[in-house]
Amino acid sequence: MTKLIRIFSVLLVIFSLGMIILFGASGHKFDLNKHDNQVYLLFILLYLSSAIVLFFSLYKESLIMKRIAVTLLFLILISFIYLFYEIVSITIGDFSAIIPIIFSLVIIYMDIKILSILISSNPNV
């Protein structure tokens, strides 16, 4: 389980850094008053904070840490299902969207697996 959580945390950090790079490379002006930019920034913060909480929950076995981790994993699951819907809804003429679709499905699968492990390991969560 610890190896899976470490891999998942690294994937979340890589994904959030990729989101930052893509936003900078797209040429969009970063305006905090626009709703889309706020949602995008919230996703990045959610992924980074979840990776940090999951990493620290490996070393600190407390009930509050597990509850926070389960809550953040549930939010990640919802956000990746939304991102998966957004990726699939865009019509692209070639197969360039295969990589983000596969990456999203892998993260959704790992999220569900870690979520089920954390919930089943302690019934008080």
Side-chain angles (χ1 to χ4, degrees):
M1 180 180 99
T2 59
K3 186 184 268 188
L4 183 67
I5 290 177
R6 285 182 186 152
I7 291 171
F8 187 69
S9 297
V10 169
L11 283 177
L12 284 177
V13 169
I14 289 171
F15 191 77
S16 61
L17 290 176
M19 287 177 69
I20 293 170
I21 290 170
L22 280 176
F23 191 77
S26 67
H28 289 95
K29 184 179 177 187
F30 189 73
D31 185 16
L32 283 177
N33 294 329
K34 291 177 74 177
H35 182 274
D36 295 338
N37 291 343
Q38 291 172 354
V39 169
Y40 200 78
L41 185 63
L42 248 155
F43 280 160
I44 292 171
L45 290 175
L46 172 70
Y47 301 148
L48 287 176
S49 64
S50 298
I52 291 169
V53 166
L54 283 172
F55 189 72
F56 284 126
S57 71
L58 287 174
Y59 300 108
K60 185 170 182 169
E61 298 280 332
S62 71
L63 187 61
I64 256 181
M65 249 345 213
K66 281 191 177 182
R67 286 183 180 171
I68 292 172
V70 166
T71 305
L72 288 174
L73 283 171
F74 186 70
L75 289 174
I76 287 174
L77 181 64
I78 292 171
S79 70
F80 265 100
I81 290 173
Y82 170 74
L83 286 176
F84 182 75
Y85 167 74
E86 288 291 328
I87 291 171
V88 172
S89 67
I90 296 173
T91 308
I92 299 176
D94 56 358
F95 292 107
S96 62
I98 296 287
I99 294 171
I101 288 173
I102 291 173
F103 193 76
S104 297
L105 288 175
V106 166
I107 287 186
I108 289 171
Y109 171 74
M110 289 177 74
D111 188 0
I112 291 172
K113 186 155 179 91
I114 293 172
L115 194 59
S116 65
I117 289 171
L118 284 177
I119 289 174
S120 67
S121 69
N122 191 354
N124 294 329
V125 175

